[in-house]
Amino acid sequence: MVVMAAYKAINRTEITLWAEDIYAAHQAEHLSSSPLEEPTSPPSISHDYFADRVSQPESSSRQLHRQDPSKYSLAQSENGSERSMADSEASAKGATRTAFTKTLQLEFVKPPLLMCDFDDTERGGEELETVKKMRETIQLFADGLSVLGSDSHNLLGSLDRLPQMDRVRFRKFKDMVQSDELSRDTYGQTPPIDDLIKAVSTGKELDRSEGALEDRWNFYLHKPLIELVIATSTHAKALTLVSTKCTLIKPGYLLDASNSTYALPSAKIDYIICFAATRELEQIYEKIQCMPKTYIKTWNNARDFHQIPFAVNIETEPAATSWTEGKHQMAIWMHALLERFRYFESWKRVAEHASTKMPCFPLVLVQGHDWRVVILSEDDKQRIMWDSIMIGDTRNCFDLVKLVAVLHWILHWAVTEYLPWLKTIAP
């Protein structure tokens, strides 16, 4: 076993170095990066729904970020903006290099996991029908169709409180009120206009000041917005939000590439929307066997939160960080989750029937203001992460309403489609 472990380590190192050599040549010919902007001053959040976290105890690191920006901003340090630009450029190059290496590593697992643009048939082949259907529904909401339900009069009657462009867009797109094709009320209600305005205002304050700090974006905007989406969903009682920032993939062999001599690097994502505990799920959990060669008994690919299955996976990045790094973290995380499914005792029996084939997964990636969905699918040969659908942002209320509608639909999919399938593969 020691010899085999050493062999794997050697081969893993060789592949990583090989990937880095390819990257270096690729970078010299094609790649360049742009300096990132530095934050200027800390935000002064003064809202109720999104700022109630200000009064909560904060870690020492978060307290540091709330100090005078001159004490930690490179842009105002003794070396001035030149040092800030150099550090930002080095950080961007390092992130691009890491992403390139991870892309190659993911393509060598079995089954391989490819990063592919929608409609790229040369690389990914024809999209599965489940992918096409999910993509179409999400895209319609993202385009503004039927994003307002029967309660839309509450919002449309208060347009005078919104900036001019929001008023113009809402009045122009009155057909956004739900159609027969997309029944908005089935998925949830549009949040109160006060919460929409506060979310947009909070995002702008963060963008003006500490756009480069992920914890600030998460604490003041991303997490409370996800909580608001859940609270206004028709499935609010069936779902709950948990932070997985400190959760690691367990057992480690879920990262092993099947029939390969190396393993993927570990990864974690920021948030999981979990299914709330029910007696039925508890009874299923009692029958789940421990993972092979371990004492780990879990629904998922992590030892934490092992008694409740994951519903929706969310990875966040700050505004000044490339979202592609989050995409690769999500890809590794989902590879391990799909590998975990194969250890359920019912997996082989279920996988043989077309009616119970693995669904495709809508995965949520956030970069500062911007929210997008990638779709992960699997067939007999490979896994593909289809990239991507912009589903909205928090820069204005119009695009925020679209974002909420898409997330409501994803929560509905998790409860009505994904959970029934998950119950069929578990004992």
Side-chain angles (χ1 to χ4, degrees):
M1 293 179 64
V2 174
V3 174
M4 181 59 69
Y7 177 72
K8 289 185 177 182
I10 291 172
N11 279 272
R12 180 164 61 250
T13 302
E14 290 177 349
I15 289 176
T16 301
L17 292 174
W18 170 71
E20 291 178 351
D21 290 342
I22 294 177
Y23 169 80
H26 180 77
Q27 181 193 46
E29 184 176 359
H30 298 288
L31 298 182
S32 63
S33 60
S34 302
L36 305 178
E37 297 181 358
E38 281 292 324
T40 55
S41 61
S44 56
I45 309 296
S46 59
H47 310 303
D48 295 331
Y49 186 87
F50 288 84
D52 57 357
R53 289 156 176 73
V54 175
S55 61
Q56 298 180 4
E58 296 184 335
S59 64
S60 57
S61 61
R62 186 173 290 125
Q63 290 173 350
L64 171 64
H65 298 330
R66 296 185 67 185
Q67 295 174 1
D68 184 342
S70 64
K71 296 182 181 180
Y72 59 87
S73 173
L74 291 177
Q76 300 181 22
S77 65
E78 57 183 354
N79 293 330
S81 59
E82 292 183 2
R83 178 180 173 186
S84 172
M85 183 179 297
D87 282 12
S88 298
E89 185 173 354
S91 176
K93 288 181 178 179
T96 305
R97 180 176 183 174
T98 300
F100 188 87
T101 301
K102 288 180 178 178
T103 297
L104 291 175
Q105 289 176 313
L106 286 163
E107 291 183 7
F108 275 86
V109 302
K110 295 184 180 180
L113 198 161
L114 307 181
M115 305 289 181
C116 186
D117 291 329
F118 286 116
D119 302 318
D120 187 355
T121 55
E122 292 186 10
R123 177 171 174 78
E126 187 71 19
E127 297 171 14
L128 299 177
E129 287 301 318
T130 52
V131 173
K132 292 179 180 179
K133 182 179 179 181
M134 178 176 289
R135 178 189 177 190
E136 179 182 355
T137 302
I138 292 176
Q139 189 66 66
L140 289 175
F141 277 130
D143 289 342
L145 180 65
S146 299
V147 296
L148 297 176
S150 60
D151 60 344
S152 60
H153 59 277
N154 296 326
L155 175 62
L156 298 177
S158 304
L159 292 183
D160 58 327
R161 299 179 56 190
L162 302 180
Q164 180 182 358
M165 186 52 63
D166 268 339
R167 297 198 299 270
V168 170
R169 296 174 77 188
F170 274 117
R171 287 167 179 160
K172 183 177 180 180
F173 287 89
K174 289 184 178 179
D175 59 344
M176 291 191 308
V177 176
Q178 63 179 332
S179 64
D180 294 336
E181 183 177 5
L182 297 173
S183 180
R184 179 69 178 87
D185 290 346
T186 301
Y187 314 122
Q189 297 182 332
T190 304
I193 190 170
D194 287 340
D195 289 330
L196 298 176
I197 292 173
K198 291 171 184 176
V200 170
S201 178
T202 300
K204 289 180 178 178
E205 291 177 17
L206 288 166
D207 214 15
R208 286 196 297 268
S209 53
E210 299 195 23
L213 299 174
E214 181 176 343
D215 285 347
R216 301 282 281 177
W217 280 93
N218 288 168
F219 187 76
Y220 289 114
L221 183 59
H222 297 153
K223 185 173 185 288
L225 180 54
I226 298 169
E227 291 172 338
L228 177 63
V229 169
I230 295 174
T232 52
S233 165
T234 54
H235 304 288
K237 295 182 179 180
L239 300 164
T240 184
L241 179 67
V242 297
S243 172
T244 51
K245 291 176 178 290
C246 298
T247 299
L248 297 178
I249 294 172
K250 295 291 183 180
Y253 58 69
L254 292 178
L255 292 166
D256 290 343
S258 303
N259 302 316
S260 181
T261 56
Y262 74 99
L264 291 169
S266 187
K268 53 190 175 183
I269 59 176
D270 291 302
Y271 295 105
I272 296 286
I273 299 176
C274 296
F275 295 109
T278 64
R279 182 53 187 160
E280 181 185 12
L281 292 179
E282 291 175 356
Q283 291 174 339
I284 296 176
Y285 176 77
E286 291 171 0
K287 299 177 182 178
I288 293 176
Q289 301 296 314
C290 290
M291 296 287 288
K293 301 179 182 179
T294 74
Y295 294 103
I296 298 176
K297 180 177 179 178
T298 177
W299 277 95
N300 314 299
N301 58 340
R303 191 167 186 173
D304 300 323
F305 314 108
H306 54 95
Q307 296 189 51
I308 49 177
F310 296 159
V312 180
N313 302 270
I314 304 172
E315 168 62 13
T316 66
E317 298 292 344
T321 299
S322 172
W323 76 279
T324 56
E325 178 63 22
K327 180 172 67 172
H328 287 85
Q329 288 176 236
M330 180 68 79
I332 295 172
W333 175 267
M334 290 302 298
H335 166 80
L337 181 60
L338 300 190
E339 288 301 302
R340 189 277 168 269
F341 291 158
R342 283 166 169 71
Y343 286 97
F344 281 123
E345 291 185 350
S346 303
W347 172 259
K348 290 184 179 180
R349 172 179 55 81
V350 171
E352 294 175 354
H353 296 82
S355 60
T356 53
K357 287 286 187 181
M358 183 182 294
C360 56
F361 294 82
L363 309 172
V364 181
L365 299 172
V366 188
Q367 180 196 20
H369 283 293
D370 300 315
W371 295 61
R372 68 185 77 204
V373 167
V374 297
I375 299 177
L376 178 65
S377 66
E378 176 178 297
D379 58 22
D380 297 334
K381 298 179 180 179
Q382 61 192 6
R383 294 166 181 162
I384 299 179
M385 184 173 279
W386 298 96
D387 181 11
S388 62
I389 308 170
M390 292 295 299
I391 61 173
D393 60 65
T394 52
R395 292 184 178 88
N396 58 76
C397 287
F398 183 88
D399 290 322
L400 179 54
V401 166
K402 297 191 299 182
L403 167 61
V404 172
V406 173
L407 295 179
H408 277 166
W409 181 87
I410 291 176
L411 297 186
H412 182 75
W413 165 87
V415 173
T416 61
E417 297 187 36
Y418 174 57
L419 182 58
W421 173 84
L422 191 58
K423 291 176 181 178
T424 65
I425 67 168

